[in-house]
Amino acid sequence: MRIYIVLICLQVLLLNSTMQLNAQNPLIRNQFSADPTARVFGDRVYVYPSHDIIAKEGRGRVGWFCMEDYHVFSSANLTDWTDHGMIVHQDNVPWVKPNSYSMWAPDCFYFKGKYYFYFPSMPKDTSYTRGFTVGVAIADKPEGPFVPQPMPISNVRGIDPNVFIDKDGQAYLYWSQGNIYGAKLKENMVELASDPVVLGELPGKGLKEGPYLFERNGTYYLTYPHVENKIERLEYAIGNNPLGPFRVTGVIMDESPSGCWTNHHSIIQFKDQWYLFYHHNDYSPKFDKARSIRADSLFFNTDGTIQKVVPTLRGIGVTNAHTQIQIDRYSHISDKGASIAFLDTANRFQGWKTVLDAAGAWVQYNSVDFGKKKPASVTVRALSVNGGSLQIRIQGPYGPLLAEVPITAGNEWQLVKTSKLEFKPGMQNLVVTAMNNSQIEIDWVSFEQ
């Protein structure tokens, strides 16, 4: 057993790699990701999502969810995300059924010097339990390496594990299997300390899954996806005890307007602001089993109820003016003459472009930090078959002018730079406007020192 554990650790270390990702929504822009559990460890936010891959013959069930491993991502500023690489793979977990491709929504929690990573999958020993159960992998650091335990947690049947530790130090495990269940955990964090109970007073009709519990000002919030009609929306119930009873209180996020069947979420407070992490099928608009994680700010009313979160493309975090500002992740867009499209439909991970095809059409991108020093120039990566002109403003479509950028006619992408630049220091909302009726496609904007 000792040699086996050492081999696992070595393999995880070799497979792990650190990659820097600059993102808005979706947060992760080089792979599919779903079911994000965000946690604050120290001065960083760590996100533990599941990892969607496209099933093929002999590799999962074609047309269905397919997941074989987990990555972990972290950020100190909610803008620059580091991929710490793979932390757990189905082939390295002793109890998981080989080639089951069922590494669904996970969670991770810190307790007494260790990080406990909880994940569901299908066991190879069907006499142990039918369907899904939940296992644990343990690490000394939030990014691993994680060592899977040889057996799953006894007496747990279901998916979507979630862990909560109350103020008195008692740990609880939650999961879903038709209903939502909860139980106390022993101090070793890998065994139940009480029999599972069904968390009642929740909607009886429609699928409920993905429980996530947190506490604020003495109130316990049980949040969960629920199919009220045909697809999931995020709802919550409140109570005075980690195991309820809970009273259904409201909706956190409505059903996806594009029809993505699932949603799965977590809620954290980081540097005095609350955030909702969730997922959508941004990179796969016609196939909702390949999803991408997002985040938006979340706010409470004075009575403790949650204000409904409206999904955005801009997401969270501050963008440095000297990076490539992806204005297609807009905060606001004009009603006419402005749209968003993939740069390459054959490789959607290349991202999107902004298309302006009418005079006065504009797109606004908020929270750009210009710092204190005036940039030397601004560069726009653009394409316009007939040529045209752009204006870059701040604060709004009619705000102060920073620069005018002429775009030469052509069939190829070009980098257009101008040093004729006004400057406003500090945090600004950036607006790019078309000055004629020629179609202009814009990849990014960057201000250079």
Side-chain angles (χ1 to χ4, degrees):
M1 177 60 70
R2 185 175 300 170
I3 294 175
Y4 177 77
I5 292 174
V6 170
L7 287 173
I8 290 176
C9 292
L10 287 173
Q11 186 171 2
V12 171
L13 282 170
L14 288 171
L15 288 171
N16 274 1
S17 61
T18 299
M19 180 179 293
Q20 196 72 28
L21 304 167
N22 296 316
Q24 299 86 43
N25 277 338
L27 295 179
I28 308 306
R29 308 189 74 176
N30 66 348
Q31 60 188 274
F32 294 119
S33 53
D35 311 317
T37 290
R39 296 294 183 189
V40 180
F41 296 137
D43 59 357
R44 296 181 71 85
V45 172
Y46 289 80
V47 179
Y48 299 84
S50 56
H51 182 196
D52 288 337
I53 57 177
I54 304 301
K56 301 177 181 178
E57 292 294 336
R59 190 187 189 197
R61 174 182 164 189
V62 175
W64 192 242
F65 300 106
C66 184
M67 300 101 136
E68 65 182 359
D69 62 16
Y70 298 101
H71 285 232
V72 58
F73 304 86
S74 74
S75 176
N77 59 10
L78 303 179
T79 298
D80 304 305
W81 291 90
T82 298
D83 181 359
H84 297 281
M86 190 191 73
I87 57 173
V88 174
H89 191 283
Q90 64 179 8
D91 294 343
N92 295 332
V93 182
W95 60 268
V96 168
K97 178 182 177 181
N99 299 321
S100 56
Y101 296 96
S102 56
M103 308 294 274
W104 289 14
D107 193 2
C108 188
F109 218 96
Y110 174 80
F111 186 70
K112 294 188 176 180
K114 299 288 184 180
Y115 295 87
Y116 295 85
F117 180 74
Y118 297 82
F119 59 95
S121 196
M122 300 183 69
K124 63 176 67 173
D125 183 0
T126 56
S127 65
Y128 179 81
T129 186
R130 286 188 170 187
F132 281 77
T133 187
V134 173
V136 188
I138 304 174
D140 293 323
K141 296 186 294 184
E143 68 274 16
F146 284 88
V147 178
Q149 298 301 288
M151 295 296 291
I153 301 174
S154 180
N155 205 24
V156 174
R157 180 186 175 191
I159 60 174
D160 302 340
N162 166 242
V163 173
F164 171 76
I165 299 181
D166 207 359
K167 295 183 290 292
D168 62 2
Q170 176 62 58
Y172 296 83
L173 178 68
Y174 304 88
W175 65 96
S176 58
Q177 182 69 28
N179 292 303
I180 294 179
Y181 295 84
K184 291 182 179 180
L185 279 169
K186 291 184 179 180
E187 192 169 352
N188 64 16
M189 300 293 283
V190 298
E191 295 179 278
L192 296 187
S194 66
D195 291 332
V197 297
V198 176
L199 302 185
E201 309 303 323
L202 301 180
K205 180 182 177 182
L207 175 68
K208 301 181 296 295
E209 57 180 356
Y212 184 89
L213 189 131
F214 69 97
E215 181 270 339
R216 176 181 179 269
N217 296 338
T219 297
Y220 297 88
Y221 294 77
L222 176 63
T223 65
Y224 51 91
H226 174 221
V227 180
E228 175 72 17
N229 296 304
K230 294 183 179 180
I231 61 177
E232 291 182 341
R233 69 183 185 190
L234 301 181
E235 302 178 359
Y236 72 104
I238 60 174
N240 296 319
N241 185 284
L243 293 178
F246 293 97
R247 174 174 56 86
V248 174
T249 306
V251 174
I252 302 171
M253 178 175 283
D254 287 327
E255 295 92 338
S256 162
S258 65
C260 184
W261 175 46
T262 67
N263 203 347
H264 189 108
H265 68 294
S266 56
I267 295 172
I268 62 168
Q269 185 181 27
F270 181 62
K271 297 182 179 178
D272 299 323
Q273 174 61 52
W274 288 85
Y275 298 98
L276 172 71
F277 288 74
Y278 60 103
H279 70 228
H280 188 57
N281 57 325
D282 292 272
Y283 286 116
S284 180
K286 295 183 180 180
F287 181 61
D288 61 1
K289 310 303 184 293
R291 300 154 297 178
S292 299
I293 64 173
R294 291 177 164 201
D296 277 296
S297 298
L298 180 143
F299 300 92
F300 293 85
N301 297 310
T302 55
D303 63 357
T305 55
I306 298 174
Q307 296 180 17
K308 189 179 292 185
V309 177
V310 177
T312 75
L313 296 177
R314 177 61 185 88
I316 57 177
V318 172
T319 298
N320 190 311
H322 308 307
T323 62
Q324 293 178 3
I325 305 168
Q326 306 290 337
I327 61 170
D328 51 79
R329 306 294 87 192
Y330 60 82
S331 303
H332 304 286
I333 193 168
S334 59
D335 293 334
K336 296 181 180 180
S339 61
I340 305 299
F342 284 106
L343 282 165
D344 183 356
T345 55
N347 182 9
R348 290 176 175 149
F349 286 119
Q350 287 191 18
W352 295 266
K353 59 187 176 183
T354 302
V355 181
L356 303 178
D357 57 12
W362 55 268
V363 63
Q364 178 171 322
Y365 184 101
N366 289 351
S367 301
V368 177
D369 186 4
F370 281 82
K372 298 179 180 180
K373 184 179 178 181
K374 180 181 178 179
S377 61
V378 59
T379 297
V380 178
R381 185 173 189 260
L383 183 156
S384 180
V385 173
N386 298 315
S389 179
L390 297 172
Q391 285 189 345
I392 301 177
R393 296 179 179 270
I394 58 171
Q395 299 177 12
Y398 307 103
L401 179 67
L402 295 188
E404 292 193 10
V405 184
I407 310 299
T408 304
N411 294 312
E412 302 293 334
W413 286 97
Q414 55 184 297
L415 297 180
V416 185
K417 179 184 290 189
T418 180
S419 57
K420 296 179 180 179
L421 182 67
E422 298 297 325
F423 175 60
K424 298 291 182 182
M427 198 76 64
Q428 304 292 347
N429 297 333
L430 196 68
V431 181
V432 179
T433 305
M435 297 311 297
N436 49 44
N437 288 316
S438 296
Q439 184 180 94
I440 302 176
E441 300 179 4
I442 306 159
D443 186 6
W444 49 259
V445 176
S446 183
F447 295 82
E448 301 164 351
Q449 294 286 15

